[in-house]
Amino acid sequence: MRTITRSYDTYDAARRVVDDLEAAGFPATDISLIGRHTSTDDSNAGEGAGIGAALGGAAGLLAGLGLLAIPGIGPVVAAGWLASTAAGAAAGGVTGGIIGAFTSAGEDEASANYYAETVRRGGSVVSVKADEDKAPAAEAIMDGAAPIDRDARLADYRKEGWSRFDDRGEPYRPLI
């Protein structure tokens, strides 16, 4: 079993990836989504009931969407095994809860920091657990949805002085 993870600039792009993975036969229990949606910025993270239906989750993983407050990120839309790991870490007061969730999913620490920072800055992350023979199909679906170019985005972050995700930092608010 392999875990494949990609990040997307928008929640809607990530949601379409989840839909496509489910349509291709990947079980909802093997898919995770953590991301920022415009509704999370104006919502109380404790008001998770019904958020899946409100954000377009009629079946599968998306029906289980809820709001989760992650230290250093703020409220996010989250579902799946990765979200459960992050929620457990956050509830237990574990420092670096989201980093721990990504590393326990098989990501190295540098990638975990990148994914956490991407969510903090408004992006969304999709992970899927796939058997080796089905991993190429999952990668094709995820890569076909134009994920963020990790290397280019990391270069952008580093130009700003970023070196790693800080779970004690304030949630990112872009200057507009």
Side-chain angles (χ1 to χ4, degrees), residues 16-28 31 128 134 136-142:
R16 284 190 297 275
V17 169
V18 170
D19 288 341
D20 292 347
L21 287 167
E22 287 182 337
F26 291 91
I31 305 169
V128 61
K134 294 186 179 190
E139 288 175 328
I141 290 167
M142 296 172 87

Side-chain angles (χ1 to χ4, degrees), residues 1-91:
M1 182 86 49
R2 229 169 78 193
T3 301
I4 303 154
T5 304
R6 300 289 188 273
S7 56
Y8 301 89
D9 279 319
T10 68
Y11 166 81
D12 290 334
R15 192 187 91 184
R16 284 190 297 275
V17 169
V18 170
D19 288 341
D20 292 347
L21 287 167
E22 287 182 337
F26 291 91
T29 55
D30 290 343
I31 305 169
S32 287
L33 167 67
I34 297 178
R36 296 292 292 271
H37 186 277
T38 54
S39 68
T40 61
D41 292 331
D42 299 321
S43 299
N44 179 337
E47 298 173 355
I51 193 82
L55 297 178
L61 175 75
L62 296 178
L65 283 174
L67 289 177
L68 172 67
I70 297 180
I73 295 177
V76 297
V77 176
W81 51 269
L82 188 58
S84 297
T85 304

Side-chain angles (χ1 to χ4, degrees), residues 89-171:
V94 177
T95 301
I98 193 163
I99 301 299
F102 283 117
T103 56
S104 67
E107 297 294 336
D108 60 50
E109 192 166 332
S111 293
N113 276 278
Y114 160 73
Y115 289 127
E117 185 67 14
T118 297
V119 173
R120 185 179 86 83
R121 292 182 185 227
S124 295
V125 175
V126 176
S127 288
V128 61
K129 293 179 181 178
D131 291 328
E132 280 299 325
D133 62 327
K134 294 186 179 190
E139 288 175 328
I141 290 167
M142 296 172 87
D143 292 342
I148 295 170
D149 179 323
R150 180 180 184 266
D151 293 335
R153 188 60 53 91
L154 276 171
D156 291 343
Y157 291 169
R158 289 183 179 126
K159 282 181 194 172
E160 298 171 2
W162 179 86
S163 62
R164 65 183 320 268
F165 173 73
D166 181 3
D167 67 340
R168 293 176 311 256
E170 290 294 317

